Every structure is written in structure tokens, then in C-alpha cells.
Amino acid sequence: MLVDVTIKLKRGVTDPEGENTKKALTLLGFKNVQSVGVMKTFRIEMDCGDEAEAVKQAEEMCRRLLANPVIHEYEIKVVRG
Amino acid sequence: MLVDVTIKLKRGVTDPEGENTKKALTLLGFKNVQSVGVMKTFRIEMDCGDEAEAVKQAEEMCRRLLANPVIHEYEIKVVRG
């Protein structure tokens, strides 16, 4: 089972990497860029027959390791069963 | 126009962050994890009326700033027109 776990910053949390990327793009001449946000995706291949079980495990991975609940929110998507 | 630019490592390039995440997950008890890969997505909001033009600009951003052609490949997706 292939699962994509996307970690992004909660609304209202400053995204310095995104802001600096926006600045750099503007300096390079891309004047029409209004905002840049950065997200990270973990593509996890796991040995698991059941889709619901895979999502449950991915959620536990987020809670225990991948995401920081103070600043992050996460999204789990099964890519391939 | 909202465009997602996803940067991932080319096949064959070592992904230390993914490998260490896999190790950590295994140590936490997720024994069924087979591999973990990491990708980064830039969500770019740009002032641009035409979808093809937005994709063209995003490609130029990848070439000039966001991706390293030696190790990265990129994918561009228009999220909202």
C-alpha cells in the first residue's frame, strides 16, 4: 500500500521558507508571484492489505513522529492500494 | 492562478531524510514500513490569466531557482485557475 502523507503549516503560522522563496522569485523577475507556501510529503510504502488500516497507521505516524501538532496539519491520501 | 510545484529526487538519488524517517518509524514499532520518500511542494499563487502561461512560468521558476537538475525532477499542477 502506497500512502502520501502531506504535512503543511496551519493557517496563521509563519512560513519563512515560503516567504523567502517568494522574495527570491520576485528578485529573479517573477513580479506576478503573490504568495508561496511550502509543504512536505512523505510517500510511505507499507505492507498492509486494508486501506482503512493503512490510513489509521499513517495517522498514528503523524501524531507520533511526522507532524508537530502545534504548527502542522496533515493530509493522508492512499495513492495505490 | 494557484500552481503546485512538486520537487522530488530523481530515481537512484539517495534520500537520507526518507531513509532516516523509515528507521525512526521502524523503531517506533511500525514494522511494516518498506520505504519512505520525501518530496517538497511549493504552492504558488500568481497573477496570471492563462493556464498554459502559468505552467510555462512555473517551469522557468524550477529551472532558475526551485529545482537542482542534477538530483531533482519536478511536476507542475494547476490547482485553481
Side-chain angles (χ1 to χ4, degrees):
Chain A
M1 187 88 57
L2 197 65
V3 178
D4 270 5
V5 176
T6 301
I7 311 287
K8 55 182 144 189
L9 290 166
K10 283 181 176 168
R11 188 178 288 272
V13 177
T14 320
D15 179 353
E17 191 181 358
E19 282 172 16
N20 282 310
T21 306
K22 176 183 179 284
K23 268 185 219 162
L25 287 171
T26 307
L27 286 172
L28 281 172
F30 299 100
K31 305 284 186 203
N32 58 346
V33 173
Q34 288 166 321
S35 72
V36 179
V38 183
M39 305 179 278
K40 181 180 275 189
T41 302
F42 295 93
R43 177 157 285 186
I44 303 171
E45 172 86 58
M46 58 173 108
D47 204 8
C48 178
D50 181 49
E51 205 165 299
E53 175 62 27
V55 171
K56 211 178 116 193
Q57 279 201 31
E59 264 170 18
E60 208 189 324
M61 289 174 194
C62 287
R63 275 199 304 275
R64 294 185 62 195
L65 182 75
L66 305 177
N68 174 351
V70 178
I71 54 167
H72 291 144
E73 59 187 18
Y74 54 82
E75 206 176 277
I76 295 163
K77 204 190 284 177
V78 175
V79 181
R80 177 161 47 73
Chain B
M1 187 88 55
L2 197 64
V3 178
D4 270 4
V5 177
T6 300
I7 310 287
K8 54 182 147 191
L9 290 165
K10 281 181 178 168
R11 188 177 287 272
V13 178
T14 321
D15 180 354
E17 191 181 358
E19 282 172 14
N20 282 309
T21 306
K22 176 181 178 285
K23 269 186 218 160
L25 287 171
T26 308
L27 288 172
L28 281 172
F30 299 99
K31 304 285 186 203
N32 58 345
V33 173
Q34 288 166 321
S35 71
V36 179
V38 183
M39 305 178 277
K40 182 180 276 189
T41 303
F42 295 92
R43 177 156 285 184
I44 302 171
E45 171 88 55
M46 59 173 107
D47 204 8
C48 177
D50 181 49
E51 205 164 298
E53 174 63 27
V55 171
K56 212 179 116 194
Q57 280 201 31
E59 264 170 18
E60 207 190 324
M61 288 175 194
C62 287
R63 276 199 306 274
R64 295 186 60 193
L65 182 76
L66 305 176
N68 175 351
V70 178
I71 54 168
H72 291 143
E73 60 188 16
Y74 55 82
E75 207 176 276
I76 294 162
K77 202 189 286 175
V78 175
V79 181
R80 178 163 47 75

